[in-house]
């Protein structure tokens, strides 16, 4: 489930993640994975998962991945996020998200999350920039 | 609340919008507005609204604005979405979203949502592309 | 052409801007404008201006606008840029770009450039994030 | 240099690509690569390649990759492009771009270009959506 050197703060998911019902399945400094099962509350008119739910899933992973790399006292915030949608997650299926870093710098980190569904098809790619803030800022 | 010439389908919000608790306050072909009050479920570790909730709010409005412009039988799907985050929506506050079109073409529409909070400060800007699909596609 | 309080560095355009042939027509802390006439070198197979030329035009303005707001010794770099394309700039026409800030913070600034052509039609919108770096970083 | 089944139109680079001086080194339906040597015209104040040149390089590859997949008579246009910048391409170095598809659908294709420099460091990632248009549209 985790590396030894992961910042402990990354292991506590925020209330929003609990409310969505996402299940974090791996946290290391190089990779974060999670699952979100489709259910009626996520329905976007057409019996598929709302894009907003997919973006929320990814956003949470990018934040978690960044936190796993922070030094004690540092914080992070998402400053921008970009999503391309390719395929739907239908009722009865699950969104599987894998988030890996494109860049881990001193001031910013950039993470990319690929979301697939049960048949392995790529449903969305989310790239986001996290600002790294020292405690005093 | 609406124009006479709005496609009726735009006036029914999807289950996800109801679950989030967003209140759509205006739907016309040129503008869609909505509110989302901050609450504990949206908490992103720091007592502010999770970016995922803000993106979900905006995504829903871009879809609604596009639907308001569709001809009978047409459908739409979000193909990409880009968000910049500027300021937080804290506990006790409300996210106010206003969505207007940058482009309304035959094949795609592009909508931009500006999200402000109670003091009028700009919190996020979301730009998204909607694909317009004819019924038979 | 400029405010009294504009950082002098913003008034010198880089070699790339000169090479492209862009003409900066206004620089203030709140707004930067420029023009780029279509010509054969920018041709993108279809006798319209290549998207790369439009993005280069905008990128340069966002950097210029940020520089206009910097304190002595600070520097800036573009960390991300997002463009939506709506209409073409054909041979014989000119791209008119107007860049205004969405956010001017201590660590980042976000600028949005709207590019129109001779008939006033909106051709592209470019939103970019600039990192503000102190001299010693 | 190419697959047998590549659409011939992909093999002719537009005037803008020639003017920039990019050298296309591989074109297949699954991958396009190119190089762009840094030179004084691309200088962005700090003796590094202007972000606009990097975005132009990538934009051209995404268009080329899409063209390689088109059927006779089809055309393509970039509808949106997103870039994250990570590291600079300094004077004396070369930008190496590799573009691969994230999605190849009937209506849109999405390509991602990774740009590295001589030492292998990742300098930028560009993701763009191409609209596929039938001849009569």
């Amino acid at each position: 489930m985790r590396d030894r050197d992961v910042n402990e703060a990354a292991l506590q998911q925020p209330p929003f993640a609990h409310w969505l019902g996402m299940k974090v399945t791996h946290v290391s400094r190089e990779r974060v994975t999670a699952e979100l099962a489709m259910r009626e509350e996520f329905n976007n008119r057409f019996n598929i998962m709302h894009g907003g739910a997919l973006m929320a899933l990814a956003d949470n992973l990018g934040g978690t991945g960044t936190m796993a790399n922070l030094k004690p006292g540092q914080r992070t915030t998402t400053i921008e996020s970009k999503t391309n949608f390719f395929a739907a997650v239908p009722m009865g299926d699950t969104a599987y998200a894998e988030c890996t870093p494109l860049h881990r710098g001193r001031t910013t980190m950039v993470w990319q999350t690929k979301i697939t569904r049960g048949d392995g098809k790529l449903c969305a790619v989310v790239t986001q920039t996290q600002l790294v803030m020292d405690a005093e800022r």
Side-chain angles (χ1 to χ4, degrees), chain A:
Chain A
M1 164 79 184
R2 51 167 294 218
D3 282 350
R4 232 154 224 295
D5 57 352
V6 163
N7 182 318
E8 288 286 331
L11 303 178
Q12 273 87 50
Q13 289 294 305
F16 185 65
H18 289 293
W19 186 62
L20 277 176
M22 71 177 66
K23 182 182 164 195
V24 177
T25 49
H26 178 88
V27 178
S28 68
R29 293 175 64 169
E30 284 74 33
R31 198 168 71 97
V32 182
T33 61
E35 303 175 8
L36 182 64
M38 175 58 184
R39 59 182 203 266
E40 180 55 28
E41 285 104 64
F42 299 151
N43 192 341
N44 176 11
R45 303 176 199 267
F46 308 116
N47 290 310
I48 57 176
M49 195 181 287
H50 198 286
L54 292 170
M55 293 192 288
L57 168 63
D59 183 41
N60 201 63
L61 295 202
T64 298
T66 303
M67 291 188 74
N69 284 274
L70 294 182
K71 294 171 197 151
Q74 289 186 316
R75 285 176 53 171
T76 182
T77 188
T78 309
I79 58 172
E80 61 92 22
S81 177
K82 168 65 162 74
T83 301
N84 289 81
F85 296 102
F86 307 124
V89 179
M91 202 62 77
D93 210 331
T94 294
Y96 299 91
E98 177 176 43
C99 179
T100 54
L102 290 175
H103 174 72
R104 284 180 287 176
R106 193 173 42 169
T107 311
T108 60
M109 297 193 195
V110 179
W111 293 76
Q112 189 161 77
T113 300
K114 296 194 175 184
I115 299 177
T116 52
R117 60 187 189 193
D119 64 3
K121 194 165 171 57
L122 184 64
C123 296
V125 173
V126 183
T127 307
Q128 75 197 70
T129 303
Q130 298 286 136
L131 192 66
V132 175
M133 297 171 290
D134 290 328
E136 70 271 24
R137 289 175 84 164

